[in-house]
Amino acid sequence: MVLGQPQPQSWLPASLLALRFSTEESLASFTGAIRLTLLYSTTLFLAREAFRRACLSGAAKRDWSQTLSLLWLTVPLGVFWSLFLGWVWLQLLEVPDPHVVPHYGTGVVVFGFSAVVELLGEPFWVLAQAHMFVRLKVIAESLSVILKSVLTALLVLWLPHWGLYIFSLAQLSYTTVLVLCYVIYFAKVLGSPESAKQQALPVSSMTDLLPSMTRSRAFVNWEEAKLTWSFFKQSFLKQILTEGERYVMTFLNVLNFGDQGVYDIVNNLGSLVARLIFQPIEESFYIFFAKVLEREKDATLQKQEDVAVAAAVLESLLKLALLTGLTITVFGFAYSQLVLDIYGGAMLSSGSGPILLRAYCLYVLLLAINGVTECFTFAAMSKEEVDRYNFTMLALSSSFLMLSYVLTRWCGSVGFILANCFNMGIRITQSLYFIHRYYQKSPHRPLAGLFLSPVLLGTFALSGGITAVSEVFLCCEWGWLARLAHVTVGALCLGVTLGTAFLTETKLIHFLRTQLGVPRLADKTT
């Protein structure tokens, strides 16, 4: 899954400037910022991921004052993790040469503090997600990322000698603006009695969002707290699977500092689609499935109308993920070198960059399918099933770390992506087994979404062959005119492929045309 991860794409403008326009100081600082981003993402993941999953389940049957009180516990938990991980980053890990990566210690402190600041907005975020304030999420994250990108780019150009001060200030500005957007929005909505949105909310004032304790009831819902603990054990393991290669790079030094920088630039570039397309879908439909389905009941014991709707949505999402992932994989193989050449010049396109990006295109296909299957699986699993799944995750985490180390020693940085592909394949298999078992006694077969028509598969294969030949003869040493011809060939093949999908996958097209009705279906359950 991609849920809960930071937005590394906001560093891309800075990395582009560092590669093309600035000094070696900027590139070295960018590489150092990658290690600090791991500190930031680990703190956030361990502090809030389990709370998000537990508190977004079963929204129709909850006391929101207890849920909000539980969510505020993410702040002290975040303080603990930021202090502990900050100590690890400064005392146990190798500290970069201050002449190469200046102000590293300050960066550790600021990135840890930024994580805590972001956790202050967690109750607001969960409340907004539960009531599907989609526009708020889009505006808040867009403003934050834009400010971070612009500030980073300007400082890289004007003050490259600031080193990690640049990325630290940009990160702190990102989290501050993100939290302020949520706070200001709810202050405005709750301060307007005539607002229709206020009437739909379970709170009537800003003070209701703060933790509260009364003698008449418990501070938190203990069933919700137990579910949070189950998800926390799972989240700890899932973080290893999600960021495993970064931990191997950071703790075992299997790649030098420069190779780490190239890998992360390609990794961030390759993950753009996953985070811009797949993550919003995963977040939205996890909430949908969690509201429509009841955790502790078998599919045959629930309202069959809800089970049928969930099955239809899951089938269409699987088809959409498969088509999107296949398109990226097929066309990404032939255009990886061109993209890297345009993006970073010969530094990226002439080395291991194209191989890394091609491997990442395959990984994106698996990532797309895994995101959909796991968002359903985690929404439908009971607490006991979540606990059992944790044991599987433990074994998978250990094998993934060992495989990452072995493959990286054998084939370099591409070994990380191959290990991730193996990891995703196992996770997809686990989720598919759960979905098959969940719907086994019902007439619905949502896994049919993973099958494409032979005509469409043939079109994908033909497009892949044509674009591969086009790359050999037109890219990338023959000038811009040849590159333009290569792009034209790809555009024509893409158009034919999408047209074939439109004609053969009529059920998916109908779903996309009516998908705006999905939130309304979910609203009926709140």
Side-chain angles (χ1 to χ4, degrees):
M1 293 181 86
V2 291
L3 183 66
Q5 297 302 307
Q7 295 77 13
Q9 66 268 22
S10 59
W11 292 123
L12 288 177
S15 63
L16 178 58
L17 287 169
L19 285 169
R20 284 197 175 273
F21 302 113
S22 287
T23 65
E24 293 181 359
E25 289 178 304
S26 302
L27 183 56
S29 296
F30 171 72
T31 308
I34 293 168
R35 179 179 287 188
L36 298 185
T37 302
L38 180 61
L39 165 66
Y40 163 80
S41 65
T42 304
T43 301
L44 285 181
F45 202 95
L46 295 177
R48 75 183 183 189
E49 175 73 4
F51 290 85
R52 283 187 170 185
R53 295 209 167 278
C55 294
L56 285 173
S57 302
K61 303 175 182 179
R62 69 155 44 103
D63 181 341
W64 268 101
S65 62
Q66 291 181 320
T67 298
L68 292 170
S69 297
L70 181 64
L71 286 168
W72 280 109
L73 294 178
T74 60
V75 178
L77 192 59
V79 172
F80 165 76
W81 282 117
S82 65
L83 291 174
F84 175 74
L85 294 174
W87 175 79
V88 171
W89 256 244
L90 289 174
Q91 300 298 325
L92 299 185
L93 297 182
E94 179 186 359
V95 177
D97 186 341
H99 297 291
V100 178
V101 183
H103 317 303
Y104 181 79
T106 303
V108 169
V109 174
V110 175
F111 270 76
F113 179 69
S114 297
V116 176
V117 170
E118 187 165 341
L119 291 171
L120 292 173
E122 198 60 20
F124 303 92
W125 186 92
V126 169
L127 192 61
Q129 286 290 100
H131 292 81
M132 295 190 175
F133 292 172
V134 179
R135 183 177 299 178
L136 169 61
K137 181 177 183 294
V138 171
I139 292 175
E141 293 189 357
S142 299
L143 287 176
S144 304
V145 170
I146 290 171
L147 175 63
K148 178 180 179 180
S149 300
V150 171
L151 181 59
T152 305
L154 292 177
L155 291 177
V156 165
L157 283 175
W158 295 342
L159 301 167
H161 60 279
W162 275 24
L164 283 178
Y165 282 161
I166 296 172
F167 299 97
S168 300
L169 288 174
Q171 184 65 38
L172 187 57
S173 69
Y174 167 80
T175 55
T176 303
V177 172
L178 184 65
V179 172
L180 284 177
C181 284
Y182 280 95
V183 172
I184 292 172
Y185 179 85
F186 276 101
K188 182 179 179 181
V189 169
L190 296 176
S192 176
E194 67 277 5
S195 172
K197 289 185 176 180
Q198 183 193 21
Q199 298 172 8
L201 290 171
V203 293
S204 57
S205 66
M206 290 294 287
T207 55
D208 293 338
L209 288 165
L210 299 175
S212 61
M213 183 181 298
T214 63
R215 294 182 179 180
S216 59
R217 56 173 175 74
F219 179 64
V220 297
N221 183 324
W222 288 108
E223 289 300 317
E224 212 166 50
K226 290 177 182 178
L227 184 61
T228 301
W229 173 242
S230 295
F231 275 125
F232 175 78
K233 290 183 288 185
Q234 183 191 86
S235 297
F236 189 83
L237 299 172
K238 199 182 87 171
Q239 176 67 0
I240 297 177
L241 296 176
T242 305
E243 300 272 23
E245 74 273 15
R246 298 181 189 273
Y247 293 119
V248 173
M249 279 192 292
T250 301
F251 287 88
L252 300 180
N253 294 318
V254 293
L255 298 177
N256 61 49
F257 216 48
D259 288 341
Q260 288 183 36
V262 173
Y263 172 82
D264 274 283
I265 290 171
V266 173
N267 182 58
N268 288 342
L269 185 64
S271 66
L272 271 175
V273 175
R275 297 181 185 275
L276 292 178
I277 298 178
F278 301 144
Q279 183 173 339
I281 291 175
E282 182 185 333
E283 289 178 347
S284 299
F285 284 95
Y286 171 79
I287 298 170
F288 169 77
F289 290 131
K291 288 184 175 182
V292 170
L293 303 173
E294 297 183 51
R295 283 187 179 276
E296 304 298 330
K297 289 186 179 180
D298 188 79
T300 57
L301 302 177
Q302 301 190 43
K303 291 177 61 176
Q304 292 307 299
E305 179 185 356
D306 291 342
V307 173
V309 168
V313 171
L314 177 59
E315 180 180 350
S316 296
L317 286 178
L318 285 173
K319 184 82 71 175
L320 179 62
L322 180 60
L323 282 175
T324 306
L326 267 178
T327 302
I328 294 170
T329 301
V330 169
F331 290 92
F333 268 73
Y335 289 89
S336 293
Q337 184 178 0
L338 179 60
V339 168
L340 290 176
D341 190 66
I342 294 173
Y343 177 74
M347 181 182 295
L348 291 181
S349 63
S350 62
S352 61
I355 298 175
L356 285 172
L357 192 54
R358 289 186 183 109
Y360 205 96
C361 289
L362 175 62
Y363 176 55
V364 166
L365 170 61
L366 299 176
L367 196 66
I369 298 173
N370 181 71
V372 173
T373 55
E374 282 198 347
C375 85
F376 176 88
T377 300
F378 293 149
M381 274 183 172
S382 66
K383 178 184 177 299
E384 291 73 21
E385 287 171 322
V386 172
D387 288 335
R388 286 198 299 270
Y389 190 79
N390 289 338
F391 288 103
T392 304
M393 296 282 277
L394 177 61
L396 188 56
S397 300
S398 302
S399 61
F400 170 65
L401 291 177
M402 292 176 59
L403 189 62
S404 296
Y405 182 79
V406 172
L407 288 178
T408 305
R409 289 292 188 185
W410 176 48
C411 53
S413 53
V414 73
F416 284 127
I417 301 177
L418 295 178
N420 273 316
C421 289
F422 170 81
N423 158 35
M424 284 297 163
I426 298 297
R427 288 166 65 176
I428 290 171
T429 302
Q430 293 284 328
S431 297
L432 291 180
Y433 175 72
F434 174 85
I435 295 170
H436 170 74
R437 189 163 47 86
Y438 189 85
Y439 281 104
Q440 191 171 19
K441 297 180 181 179
S442 75
H444 310 293
R445 296 294 179 265
L447 295 183
L450 292 176
F451 296 95
L452 299 178
S453 70
V455 175
L456 183 55
L457 287 174
T459 305
F460 271 116
L462 183 62
S463 296
I466 292 174
T467 53
V469 172
S470 174
E471 182 185 28
V472 172
F473 290 99
L474 299 175
C475 185
C476 290
E477 295 83 14
W478 307 106
W480 284 101
L481 190 61
R483 296 182 185 187
L484 182 60
H486 181 46
V487 172
T488 302
V489 171
L492 291 174
C493 290
L494 179 61
V496 172
T497 303
L498 294 180
T500 305
F502 184 83
L503 294 175
T504 58
E505 302 298 338
T506 54
K507 194 173 182 179
L508 174 62
I509 299 303
H510 176 72
F511 169 76
L512 293 176
R513 285 174 172 171
T514 59
Q515 59 93 21
L516 291 178
V518 172
R520 289 194 290 272
L521 288 171
D523 286 340
K524 293 178 183 179
T525 66
T526 55

